[in-house]
Short mmCIF file of all heavy atoms in Angstrom, two decimals:
data_model
loop_
_atom_site.label_atom_id
_atom_site.label_comp_id
_atom_site.label_asym_id
_atom_site.label_seq_id
_atom_site.Cartn_x
_atom_site.Cartn_y
_atom_site.Cartn_z
N PHE A 127 -1.86 -15.51 3.93
CA PHE A 127 -2.39 -16.49 2.97
C PHE A 127 -3.79 -16.95 3.36
O PHE A 127 -4.18 -16.88 4.52
CB PHE A 127 -1.44 -17.70 2.89
CG PHE A 127 -0.02 -17.29 2.66
CD1 PHE A 127 0.88 -17.18 3.72
CD2 PHE A 127 0.42 -16.95 1.39
CE1 PHE A 127 2.18 -16.75 3.52
CE2 PHE A 127 1.72 -16.53 1.18
CZ PHE A 127 2.60 -16.44 2.24
N LYS A 128 -4.52 -17.42 2.35
CA LYS A 128 -5.83 -18.02 2.61
C LYS A 128 -6.03 -19.10 1.55
O LYS A 128 -5.29 -19.15 0.55
CB LYS A 128 -6.93 -16.96 2.53
CG LYS A 128 -7.08 -16.29 1.18
CD LYS A 128 -8.13 -15.19 1.24
CE LYS A 128 -8.31 -14.52 -0.11
NZ LYS A 128 -9.28 -13.42 -0.10
N CYS A 129 -7.03 -19.96 1.76
CA CYS A 129 -7.19 -21.00 0.75
C CYS A 129 -8.04 -20.48 -0.39
O CYS A 129 -8.85 -19.57 -0.23
CB CYS A 129 -7.73 -22.29 1.34
SG CYS A 129 -9.51 -22.34 1.55
N PHE A 130 -7.80 -21.04 -1.56
CA PHE A 130 -8.45 -20.53 -2.76
C PHE A 130 -9.95 -20.82 -2.77
O PHE A 130 -10.74 -19.96 -3.14
CB PHE A 130 -7.80 -21.16 -4.00
CG PHE A 130 -8.39 -20.66 -5.28
CD1 PHE A 130 -8.23 -19.35 -5.68
CD2 PHE A 130 -9.15 -21.52 -6.08
CE1 PHE A 130 -8.80 -18.87 -6.86
CE2 PHE A 130 -9.72 -21.04 -7.27
CZ PHE A 130 -9.53 -19.73 -7.66
N GLU A 131 -10.35 -22.02 -2.34
CA GLU A 131 -11.77 -22.40 -2.48
C GLU A 131 -12.67 -21.73 -1.46
O GLU A 131 -13.77 -21.30 -1.79
CB GLU A 131 -11.93 -23.92 -2.38
CG GLU A 131 -11.33 -24.70 -3.55
CD GLU A 131 -11.96 -24.35 -4.91
OE1 GLU A 131 -13.08 -23.82 -4.96
OE2 GLU A 131 -11.28 -24.58 -5.94
N HIS A 132 -12.25 -21.65 -0.20
CA HIS A 132 -13.16 -21.18 0.85
C HIS A 132 -12.68 -19.93 1.56
O HIS A 132 -13.37 -19.41 2.42
CB HIS A 132 -13.38 -22.29 1.88
CG HIS A 132 -13.87 -23.57 1.28
ND1 HIS A 132 -13.04 -24.64 1.06
CD2 HIS A 132 -15.08 -23.92 0.80
CE1 HIS A 132 -13.73 -25.61 0.48
NE2 HIS A 132 -14.97 -25.20 0.30
N GLY A 133 -11.49 -19.48 1.25
CA GLY A 133 -10.97 -18.29 1.93
C GLY A 133 -10.57 -18.57 3.37
O GLY A 133 -10.42 -17.63 4.16
N HIS A 134 -10.38 -19.85 3.75
CA HIS A 134 -9.91 -20.14 5.11
C HIS A 134 -8.59 -19.42 5.35
O HIS A 134 -7.66 -19.57 4.54
CB HIS A 134 -9.63 -21.65 5.30
CG HIS A 134 -10.84 -22.52 5.19
ND1 HIS A 134 -10.84 -23.73 4.52
CD2 HIS A 134 -12.09 -22.37 5.67
CE1 HIS A 134 -12.04 -24.28 4.59
NE2 HIS A 134 -12.82 -23.47 5.27
N PRO A 135 -8.48 -18.67 6.46
CA PRO A 135 -7.18 -18.05 6.74
C PRO A 135 -6.13 -19.13 7.03
O PRO A 135 -6.43 -20.10 7.72
CB PRO A 135 -7.44 -17.20 7.99
CG PRO A 135 -8.88 -17.34 8.33
CD PRO A 135 -9.50 -18.39 7.48
N VAL A 136 -4.97 -18.98 6.48
CA VAL A 136 -3.89 -19.95 6.71
C VAL A 136 -2.78 -19.21 7.44
O VAL A 136 -2.05 -18.43 6.85
CB VAL A 136 -3.37 -20.53 5.37
CG1 VAL A 136 -2.22 -21.49 5.62
CG2 VAL A 136 -4.50 -21.22 4.61
N ASP A 137 -2.72 -19.46 8.73
CA ASP A 137 -1.88 -18.65 9.59
C ASP A 137 -0.49 -19.26 9.75
O ASP A 137 -0.08 -19.62 10.84
CB ASP A 137 -2.58 -18.50 10.95
CG ASP A 137 -1.95 -17.39 11.78
OD1 ASP A 137 -1.19 -16.60 11.20
OD2 ASP A 137 -2.20 -17.35 12.99
N ILE A 138 0.20 -19.43 8.66
CA ILE A 138 1.56 -19.97 8.77
C ILE A 138 2.51 -19.08 7.98
O ILE A 138 2.10 -18.40 7.04
CB ILE A 138 1.68 -21.42 8.25
CG1 ILE A 138 1.01 -21.56 6.87
CG2 ILE A 138 1.12 -22.41 9.24
CD1 ILE A 138 1.27 -22.89 6.21
N GLU A 139 3.78 -19.12 8.39
CA GLU A 139 4.78 -18.39 7.62
C GLU A 139 5.24 -19.26 6.47
O GLU A 139 5.54 -20.44 6.66
CB GLU A 139 5.98 -18.07 8.51
CG GLU A 139 5.86 -16.69 9.16
CD GLU A 139 7.13 -16.30 9.89
OE1 GLU A 139 8.22 -16.46 9.33
OE2 GLU A 139 6.98 -15.84 11.04
N ILE A 140 5.23 -18.70 5.27
CA ILE A 140 5.73 -19.46 4.12
C ILE A 140 6.86 -18.65 3.51
O ILE A 140 6.62 -17.70 2.76
CB ILE A 140 4.61 -19.70 3.08
CG1 ILE A 140 3.38 -20.32 3.75
CG2 ILE A 140 5.13 -20.59 1.95
CD1 ILE A 140 2.19 -20.55 2.82
N PRO A 141 8.10 -18.96 3.88
CA PRO A 141 9.21 -18.19 3.32
C PRO A 141 9.29 -18.41 1.81
O PRO A 141 8.99 -19.52 1.35
CB PRO A 141 10.45 -18.75 4.01
CG PRO A 141 10.00 -19.80 4.95
CD PRO A 141 8.55 -20.08 4.72
N PRO A 142 9.64 -17.37 1.06
CA PRO A 142 9.74 -17.56 -0.39
C PRO A 142 10.81 -18.59 -0.75
O PRO A 142 11.84 -18.66 -0.09
CB PRO A 142 10.10 -16.17 -0.91
CG PRO A 142 10.51 -15.36 0.26
CD PRO A 142 9.95 -16.01 1.49
N ALA A 143 10.51 -19.39 -1.76
CA ALA A 143 11.47 -20.41 -2.19
C ALA A 143 12.46 -19.81 -3.17
O ALA A 143 12.19 -18.78 -3.80
CB ALA A 143 10.70 -21.54 -2.87
N ALA A 144 13.62 -20.47 -3.28
CA ALA A 144 14.63 -20.03 -4.27
C ALA A 144 14.13 -20.38 -5.67
O ALA A 144 13.19 -21.15 -5.83
CB ALA A 144 15.95 -20.72 -3.98
N GLY A 145 14.74 -19.77 -6.64
CA GLY A 145 14.41 -20.12 -8.03
C GLY A 145 13.25 -19.30 -8.56
O GLY A 145 12.52 -18.66 -7.81
N ASP A 146 13.12 -19.34 -9.86
CA ASP A 146 12.07 -18.58 -10.53
C ASP A 146 11.18 -19.57 -11.28
O ASP A 146 11.55 -20.71 -11.44
CB ASP A 146 12.74 -17.59 -11.51
CG ASP A 146 11.90 -16.34 -11.67
OD1 ASP A 146 10.78 -16.30 -11.15
OD2 ASP A 146 12.39 -15.39 -12.32
N GLY A 147 10.04 -19.12 -11.70
CA GLY A 147 9.20 -19.99 -12.52
C GLY A 147 8.05 -20.59 -11.75
O GLY A 147 7.87 -20.31 -10.56
N PRO A 148 7.25 -21.42 -12.41
CA PRO A 148 6.07 -22.00 -11.78
C PRO A 148 6.43 -22.83 -10.55
O PRO A 148 7.51 -23.42 -10.49
CB PRO A 148 5.50 -22.91 -12.88
CG PRO A 148 6.11 -22.45 -14.14
CD PRO A 148 7.43 -21.84 -13.79
N LEU A 149 5.50 -22.85 -9.59
CA LEU A 149 5.76 -23.54 -8.33
C LEU A 149 4.40 -23.99 -7.79
O LEU A 149 3.48 -23.18 -7.70
CB LEU A 149 6.40 -22.53 -7.36
CG LEU A 149 6.93 -23.01 -6.03
CD1 LEU A 149 8.13 -23.94 -6.24
CD2 LEU A 149 7.37 -21.80 -5.19
N GLU A 150 4.29 -25.26 -7.44
CA GLU A 150 2.99 -25.72 -6.95
C GLU A 150 2.68 -25.10 -5.59
O GLU A 150 3.52 -25.15 -4.69
CB GLU A 150 2.96 -27.24 -6.84
CG GLU A 150 1.53 -27.73 -6.68
CD GLU A 150 1.40 -29.22 -6.38
OE1 GLU A 150 2.41 -29.94 -6.50
OE2 GLU A 150 0.29 -29.62 -6.00
N PRO A 151 1.48 -24.54 -5.42
CA PRO A 151 1.17 -23.92 -4.12
C PRO A 151 0.98 -25.00 -3.05
O PRO A 151 0.58 -26.11 -3.37
CB PRO A 151 -0.17 -23.20 -4.36
CG PRO A 151 -0.51 -23.35 -5.79
CD PRO A 151 0.38 -24.39 -6.39
#
Side-chain angles (χ1 to χ4, degrees):
F127 309 97
K128 62 184 181 182
C129 82
F130 181 67
E131 292 299 339
H132 305 102
H134 295 138
V136 178
D137 194 14
I138 48 171
E139 267 188 46
I140 308 177
D146 210 352
L149 188 67
E150 195 188 349

